[in-house]
Amino acid sequence: MFEKYVKAGEILKQVKEEVVKLVKPGVRLLDVAEFVERRIVELGGKPAFPCNISINSDAAHFTPKKNDERVFREGDVVKIDMGAHVDGYIADTAITIDLGDHEELVECAKKALENAVEVVRAGVNTAEIGAVIEDTIREFGFNPVVNLTGHGLEPYIAHAPPTIYNVRVKKGVELKEGMVIAIEPFATNGVGRVAERSECEIYSLIAVKRLRLKQERQFVEYVVNEYRTLPFAKRWVNVSDVILARLVKQGVLRAYPVLTEVSGGLVSQFEHTIIVEEDGGRVIT
C-alpha cells in the first residue's frame, strides 16, 4: 500500500521540478495544466484531480477551461496544486511561484509547511499542527486563510479525515501511525478568508442515483468507470453544461467553484503529503 503512495509522490516530485521552469509571463495556463496532467501519466500514474492553477487572490479550485487563452502575467503569485494516484493511492502537493516581488509572502507559506512537518508524528494532535502554522504565518506579518485546510488521503478519496486546520482550534484529532495526510498552509496579505466565485470547471461524483435521462445515465457511468470519486475537469469530458448543472442539482455531482480571498489579498500556498510514522512524518512529495 505505502509503496503506491510513495510512487505517486515520486511522480509529483519530478513534475513539480519540471513545471517550475514553465511558469513564465506570456505562457498559457492551459499549456501548463495539460503538461502536468500528461507528465503524471507518462511517469506511470494518473491525475488525482485536475491541475489547479490559482493566481493572486484565487486560492483554490481554478483549472483552465477548454481552449482557454489566459496567460501568466508579470507580477502574478501562482499556486500550482497537483495530485497523482497509483491504483487510487493519492499523493498531493502544491507550490507557489512568484512572478513579481512577493518573496516574503511566498517564504511565509513555505516556512509554515516546514515547521508543521517537523511536529508530525504518531500521537500528535492536529490542533498542534494548526497552531504551528498560524504562529509561523503571523510571525511573518501575514494572515492564515482560516477556511482552507489540510486533510487526510485515502484510496480514491482526495479529501478524507482528518481535517488539518491552518489556525488554532480547541479540539483536533490524534494522528495514528500509518495515516497519510496532506498539510497545506495558505498565507495572505488579505483578511484571511475565501469565498466561492462563479467560475467552476471541476466536478466529482458523490452519489449514483436513478436518472431519467439517458444522457445523464451514460455520463455518470463514464465517470464511475473513469474517475470513480476523484475530481475531474470539464475540459476532460464531452458533456454539456446543462447536463452537469442537472447532475449537481440532483445531488449526483459536486461542483467546485473557484475559491478567492474575500478582500482581494494575494495568497501563497505550499503542500506536502506525509506518511505518519511513530517517530516522525515521512514526506513523500
Side-chain angles (χ1 to χ4, degrees):
M1 177 183 73
F2 291 127
E3 295 81 10
K4 293 181 179 181
Y5 280 119
V6 171
K7 173 62 176 176
E10 288 172 348
I11 290 168
L12 290 185
K13 282 181 184 178
Q14 182 165 339
V15 178
K16 188 162 52 174
E17 186 177 313
E18 294 173 359
V19 77
V20 169
K21 303 169 186 175
L22 299 180
V23 177
K24 297 177 181 178
V27 173
R28 289 199 315 168
L29 278 64
L30 179 61
D31 291 340
V32 171
E34 290 183 335
F35 169 83
V36 167
E37 294 156 4
R38 182 176 66 252
R39 283 297 285 147
I40 288 170
V41 174
E42 289 171 353
L43 293 169
K46 291 184 178 180
F49 50 83
C51 177
N52 282 211
I53 305 178
S54 303
I55 298 175
N56 298 333
S57 58
D58 284 346
H61 297 170
F62 179 94
T63 198
K65 60 182 68 177
K66 189 176 181 181
N67 300 320
D68 204 319
E69 293 298 325
R70 282 173 282 191
V71 299
F72 299 106
R73 301 184 184 279
E74 195 78 40
D76 282 345
V77 177
V78 180
K79 283 79 65 184
I80 306 285
D81 192 340
M82 63 188 89
H85 77 89
V86 175
D87 296 332
Y89 294 92
I90 301 165
D92 187 356
T93 194
I95 54 171
T96 297
I97 301 166
D98 181 20
L99 299 182
D101 186 21
H102 310 290
E103 293 91 348
E104 282 287 300
L105 180 63
V106 174
E107 180 62 23
C108 171
K110 185 177 182 181
K111 188 65 176 176
L113 176 58
E114 291 171 355
N115 290 349
V117 168
E118 286 183 4
V119 304
V120 172
R121 67 183 186 282
V124 163
N125 194 289
T126 56
E128 183 176 340
I129 299 173
V132 168
I133 292 171
E134 179 175 9
D135 286 348
T136 303
I137 291 173
R138 295 202 188 281
E139 283 170 8
F140 274 82
F142 298 108
N143 292 318
V145 177
V146 300
N147 58 336
L148 288 175
T149 67
H151 50 88
L153 293 161
E154 294 181 3
Y156 290 104
I157 304 175
H159 278 218
T163 297
I164 303 173
Y165 290 93
N166 291 318
V167 293
R168 275 183 169 74
V169 293
K170 291 182 179 179
K171 186 178 181 181
V173 175
E174 184 180 304
L175 296 180
K176 306 291 186 184
E177 186 175 7
M179 278 184 171
V180 182
I181 60 172
I183 298 177
E184 50 180 324
F186 291 82
T188 181
N189 58 6
V191 298
R193 183 171 291 275
V194 294
E196 295 178 355
R197 64 178 179 84
S198 58
E199 188 169 1
C200 182
E201 292 290 321
I202 302 175
Y203 299 83
S204 70
L205 181 73
I206 55 176
V208 176
K209 299 182 178 181
R210 292 185 65 181
L211 298 167
R212 185 172 61 84
L213 297 182
K214 181 179 178 181
Q215 297 149 296
E216 294 175 351
R217 295 195 300 272
Q218 289 176 334
F219 179 66
V220 170
E221 182 180 0
Y222 170 79
V223 170
V224 169
N225 291 333
E226 193 69 22
Y227 308 114
R228 300 198 189 188
T229 53
L230 294 175
F232 60 89
K234 191 190 298 184
R235 59 184 159 81
W236 292 357
V237 296
N238 183 23
V239 66
S240 70
D241 289 349
V242 172
I243 294 295
L244 286 173
R246 283 178 55 87
L247 291 172
V248 170
K249 188 175 181 180
Q250 294 175 85
V252 175
L253 296 182
R254 175 188 171 186
Y256 296 80
V258 176
L259 299 176
T260 194
E261 212 282 326
V262 295
S263 66
L266 299 174
V267 178
S268 64
Q269 172 201 16
F270 280 84
E271 179 181 18
H272 275 316
T273 295
I274 302 154
I275 299 173
V276 178
E277 299 179 335
E278 185 177 347
D279 56 353
R282 177 160 42 129
V283 176
I284 63 171
T285 57

